[in-house]
Amino acid sequence: AFTRKDHEAQLGFGFYYGLIFVMIFYNLVLWLSVRDLNYLYYVLTLLFLHLLFQATNNGLAYEYFWPKAVWWNNHCLGFFLALAIFFTISFCQHFLQLKKNVPRINGLLNLLRFVSLGLALFNLTPDGSFTSWLSIYWGSKIAIVATLLIWVSGFWAWRLGYQAARYFLIAWSSLVLGALVTGFTAYGLLPTSFWTTYALQIGTGIE
């Protein structure tokens, strides 16, 4: 029973990470072709949020990428989470042109972006597992707040007449739902199940 379930999980992971690799390659080619920063920020978002953070959280990164690096594996989850927040906010700010369209929320997102960068650096200090736990604890809170602020920013930019924001909202809504379910599950506010455990991956796959 365990082998069958593990085999099914591996198939699902293979489909998900195959999709992410394709998207990273596709958007990297687009960035190299047109030099639009939107594509570069999206590649970095895909790399840190959808690939490295998720693979570390699933245990696949430790199994396949750095199986002997115990210290790094104990610290990299918070590091990847913080950088995922940093690059996701950077992408959303640039794509939605928040500095022009929603300057007040853009200022708040700038604050969260640099706090997350500080958490990434703090997470690499050699002070045992405490710094890793602290960065994950605060990083998950920042991620929830940033995710909601970005959705509101996209909606507001769309109401102001920025048409690209409507496509962003359609994609971002599935990511918002997945991120919130994952965050609430991590804090014990939702029961653990297949859908809550993999909500972020399901949401990002749809996005």
Side-chain angles (χ1 to χ4, degrees):
F2 172 79
T3 302
R4 183 174 63 251
K5 185 174 181 180
D6 183 64
H7 178 68
E8 293 171 354
Q10 293 295 326
L11 287 175
F13 288 143
F15 177 79
Y16 174 78
Y17 290 112
L19 178 66
I20 298 304
F21 272 115
V22 168
M23 290 302 296
I24 289 175
F25 178 76
Y26 174 68
N27 284 277
L28 184 60
V29 169
L30 287 176
W31 175 68
L32 292 172
S33 301
V34 301
R35 297 294 177 176
D36 185 337
L37 274 178
N38 280 318
Y39 295 113
L40 178 60
Y41 282 136
Y42 193 54
V43 165
L44 293 170
T45 298
L46 288 167
L47 177 65
F48 284 100
L49 175 60
H50 302 328
L51 179 59
L52 293 174
F53 173 73
Q54 297 283 14
T56 302
N57 195 41
N58 296 143
L60 297 176
Y62 187 46
E63 183 177 0
Y64 294 109
F65 295 161
W66 45 79
K68 296 182 179 180
V70 178
W71 182 91
W72 169 245
N73 190 68
N74 288 336
H75 288 74
C76 65
L77 185 64
F79 179 75
F80 291 145
L81 174 60
L83 288 184
I85 296 169
F86 179 85
F87 287 117
T88 301
I89 292 176
S90 299
F91 165 70
C92 296
Q93 287 177 313
H94 196 269
F95 183 84
L96 294 172
Q97 300 181 15
L98 294 185
K99 187 175 181 180
K100 179 181 70 175
N101 291 323
V102 196
R104 291 185 178 179
I105 295 183
N106 185 66
L108 291 175
L109 288 173
N110 271 333
L111 176 62
L112 295 179
R113 189 162 64 106
F114 287 108
V115 169
S116 67
L117 187 60
L119 280 178
L121 298 175
F122 174 71
N123 188 72
L124 297 179
T125 58
D127 188 20
S129 60
F130 176 72
T131 54
S132 179
W133 173 84
L134 202 61
S135 64
I136 294 171
Y137 177 80
W138 286 107
S140 58
K141 289 180 178 294
I142 292 171
I144 292 174
V145 173
T147 300
L148 292 174
L149 284 176
I150 290 168
W151 193 92
V152 171
S153 300
F155 180 78
W156 195 256
W158 178 44
R159 290 293 302 272
L160 291 175
Y162 185 58
Q163 293 303 309
R166 62 181 173 177
Y167 300 107
F168 178 89
L169 276 177
I170 293 171
W172 194 256
S173 294
S174 64
L175 182 61
V176 167
L177 183 59
L180 290 178
V181 169
T182 298
F184 291 150
T185 303
Y187 284 112
L189 300 177
L190 288 175
T192 300
S193 68
F194 173 84
W195 297 105
T196 58
T197 299
Y198 298 111
L200 183 56
Q201 285 175 291
I202 294 170
T204 54
I206 296 171
E207 177 258 338

